Amino acid sequence: MALSVSPPSLSFTQNFPHFVTSHSLPLSQCHPISFQTPPPKSIHYHPPRALREWQEYEEAVKKKDLATALSFLISIEKDNSDDSVEENGSLSTQSARSRIGDLGFFGGSVRDWEVLDTCLNADDMRLVGMAYEFLKAKGFLPNFGRFSSIVLDGSRDVTPSVLKSSTGLEASKFSPKKWGLSGSSSVVLAGFLGGVSYLLQQGIDIRPQLAIILGLAFTDSLFLGGTCLAQISSYWPPYRRRVLVHEAGHLLVAYLMGCPIRGVILDPIVAMQMGIQGQAGTQFWDENMNNEMAEGQLSGSTFDRYCMVLFAGTAAEALVYGDAEGGENDENLFRSISVLLQPPLSVAQMSNQARWSVLQSYNLLKWHRHAHRAAFKAMENGASLSVIIRKIEEAMSSNR
C-alpha cells in the first residue's frame, strides 16, 4: 500500500559521539623488598577514574542525556571486549572492574538498564532504537521483538461474530465510550445530577456556580483537550487503574513486537506539554514504518504491526474489565493514517482492520497476561521505564 506523506522534518544525527578512553599500561611485576626499589610501572586500571566515569554516566541518566549515557556504555563494552589477561600475572581491566564491582562500586549489569530512562527526552529516535539494540545484544532484552513477525493464522475477515466467538465479547465492548455514558463514570454522573436535583428541591440554588463549572469544563475540552478534567480524574483510583491497564497494554505489545518505547506519560498535563494527543500516552517508534513513510510507501506487515500496538490499549481494557472505555485518540490516529493510503481504506475496510488488530493484540496479551500484570504493577508503583521493562522480562522468563 502506498502512502502519500512528505519526508519527516526531523533530521537525524549522523555522527554518534563515542566516549574516549586513554590507553593504560599493565601493572608491574612484584619486586623484592629493597631500599632502592625501582619505581613501579603505570597502573593498568585506576579505580578513582573509573568511579568518576560512572558518576558521569549517572549524571547523564539524571539529565536524561541519552547520547552521552549510551556512548559511555558502548565504550565500556568495547574496552571489555578488547581487554585480556596479560602475561606475567598482570591484571586486565576486565578483572579489575570485576573486583571493584564485587565491592559494590559498579554493578554495571544493573546500571546498564538505566539508559532506558534517558530515552524520554531524546529527539533522535534512532538513538532510542540503538539503546534497545545495545541491551538486547548484551542479553538483557531477550523478549524484545520476539513476536515481531508472528501473526495468527486464519482469515483476515474478522466480523463482529468472529470477534465475539474468539473473545467472548461483543464488538461494541471494544469501542471507546464517552465519559458519563458507561462504566463507573455513568455512576458518578448520575450521582452528581442527583445531588444537584436534591439541592434545588431544598431551595439551594447552585445554578450560577453550575454554569461556571460547565463553562470551565467546556473551555478545558475545547482548548486543552480535557486535560484539566483528566488531571482531576487521575486522583480517582478506579480511573487511574484503568489508564494504567490501557497504557501497560500499549507498552507490552510494542515491546514484544520490537518497537522501542521512548516513554510512558501518565500525567495529563505533562502529556499536553509534550504534544501528546489524549490524557496519557505511550510513545513508541517503528523504524520500518518511519523509513517506509519517508519513501511514500507503507507495507501491509508494517501497517499491521502499527495497528496492533495502536489498539493494544483497548484490547488490554477489554481483557481485564470486559469492555473498553479509553482509546478514542487511538482510533482517531488510526483513521488519519488509513485515509492516507492509496487507495484509502473504506469505512468497512477500516472497521475490519480495527477488529483484526484488536483481536491480534487481545490474544497476545492473553498469552502473556502475567507480563501485562507485571508492567501494570510497576507502573502503579511509579517505577521508571527501565524497571518496567525489567519486570516484563522477569515475568516472561519465570513463565516459560
Side-chain angles (χ1 to χ4, degrees):
M1 291 181 285
L3 177 67
S4 300
V5 61
S6 59
S9 59
L10 178 64
S11 61
F12 297 108
T13 304
Q14 300 298 325
N15 297 322
F16 188 76
H18 291 276
F19 189 86
V20 180
T21 56
S22 60
H23 296 285
S24 49
L25 300 175
L27 288 170
S28 62
Q29 299 181 8
C30 296
H31 296 278
I33 299 177
S34 173
F35 291 103
Q36 295 180 345
T37 303
K41 297 180 181 180
S42 299
I43 298 177
H44 182 76
Y45 187 76
H46 199 274
R49 182 170 185 264
L51 291 176
R52 184 170 63 252
E53 291 172 350
W54 276 106
Q55 288 172 354
E56 292 174 358
Y57 169 74
E58 291 181 343
E59 190 66 24
V61 171
K62 291 179 181 179
K63 293 180 179 179
K64 298 192 182 305
D65 185 352
L66 175 58
T68 301
L70 182 58
S71 62
F72 171 76
L73 292 179
I74 291 176
S75 69
I76 291 295
E77 186 68 13
K78 183 177 183 299
D79 288 346
N80 288 347
S81 62
D82 292 341
D83 289 328
S84 60
V85 178
E86 301 186 8
E87 299 178 356
N88 301 323
S90 60
L91 291 175
S92 68
T93 302
Q94 179 70 29
S95 60
R97 282 186 179 142
S98 176
R99 293 188 180 185
I100 295 177
D102 292 339
L103 296 176
F105 290 110
F106 282 96
S109 62
V110 175
R111 294 186 178 180
D112 286 356
W113 287 87
E114 296 177 351
V115 72
L116 297 179
D117 298 330
T118 68
C119 293
L120 186 59
N121 288 358
D123 294 325
D124 190 343
M125 293 303 295
R126 291 183 181 180
L127 284 179
V128 177
M130 288 180 65
Y132 280 82
E133 291 301 329
F134 172 80
L135 293 179
K136 182 177 178 64
K138 293 195 68 174
F140 293 154
L141 309 179
N143 293 291
F144 176 66
R146 180 181 171 190
F147 300 94
S148 59
S149 58
I150 293 182
V151 176
L152 294 181
D153 295 330
S155 173
R156 289 189 61 92
D157 186 16
V158 180
T159 63
S161 59
V162 171
L163 184 62
K164 181 179 179 180
S165 64
S166 300
T167 64
L169 299 174
E170 297 285 347
S172 59
K173 296 295 185 180
F174 293 91
S175 300
K177 310 298 188 300
K178 294 292 184 181
W179 192 92
L181 300 181
S182 64
S184 56
S185 63
S186 61
V187 177
V188 175
L189 180 61
F192 174 76
L193 295 177
V196 171
S197 176
Y198 174 78
L199 292 176
L200 291 176
Q201 292 176 0
Q202 298 299 317
I204 303 175
D205 189 3
I206 61 171
R207 284 175 295 182
Q209 292 84 354
L210 184 60
I212 294 175
I213 293 175
L214 293 176
L216 292 174
F218 176 77
T219 301
D220 173 46
S221 176
L222 184 62
F223 296 103
L224 300 178
T227 300
C228 294
L229 179 60
Q231 185 69 45
I232 296 173
S233 301
S234 65
Y235 296 105
W236 187 32
Y239 174 85
R240 180 169 177 80
R241 281 194 295 270
R242 185 176 279 267
V243 170
L244 294 176
V245 166
H246 186 102
E247 297 306 327
H250 282 305
L251 188 148
L252 179 58
V253 172
Y255 183 76
L256 296 179
M257 298 295 288
C259 298
I261 297 102
R262 185 187 183 197
V264 181
I265 310 300
L266 300 175
D267 189 305
I269 294 180
V270 175
M272 179 188 68
Q273 293 172 344
M274 297 187 65
I276 299 176
Q277 293 184 352
Q279 299 152 2
T282 299
Q283 294 188 318
F284 66 96
W285 184 60
D286 189 328
E287 183 176 9
N288 291 336
M289 185 171 185
N290 181 77
N291 295 336
E292 291 177 12
M293 290 182 67
E295 298 173 357
Q297 301 289 329
L298 189 60
S299 64
S301 59
T302 299
F303 183 60
D304 287 342
R305 181 170 58 250
Y306 179 78
C307 290
M308 284 182 62
V309 178
L310 205 58
F311 285 104
T314 298
E317 285 192 59
L319 180 64
V320 175
Y321 294 103
D323 68 342
E325 293 185 4
E328 183 177 0
N329 285 283
D330 299 329
E331 283 196 352
N332 293 337
L333 187 56
F334 165 71
R335 293 192 190 97
S336 67
I337 294 180
S338 297
V339 297
L340 292 176
L341 300 176
Q342 296 297 332
L345 295 184
S346 64
V347 174
Q349 289 174 323
M350 281 193 287
S351 298
N352 184 73
Q353 177 70 31
R355 287 192 296 268
W356 180 89
S357 302
V358 78
L359 177 59
Q360 301 291 316
S361 296
Y362 183 92
N363 285 321
L364 188 59
L365 290 169
K366 183 172 67 174
W367 295 338
H368 303 287
R369 208 166 191 159
H370 52 284
H372 178 261
R373 188 181 300 110
F376 165 79
K377 286 293 185 183
M379 294 167 66
E380 187 178 37
N381 293 331
S384 62
L385 178 62
S386 63
V387 175
I388 297 173
I389 299 297
R390 193 161 64 222
K391 293 299 182 182
I392 289 176
E393 285 292 347
E394 291 174 357
M396 295 284 288
S397 62
S398 63
N399 284 269
R400 286 184 179 178

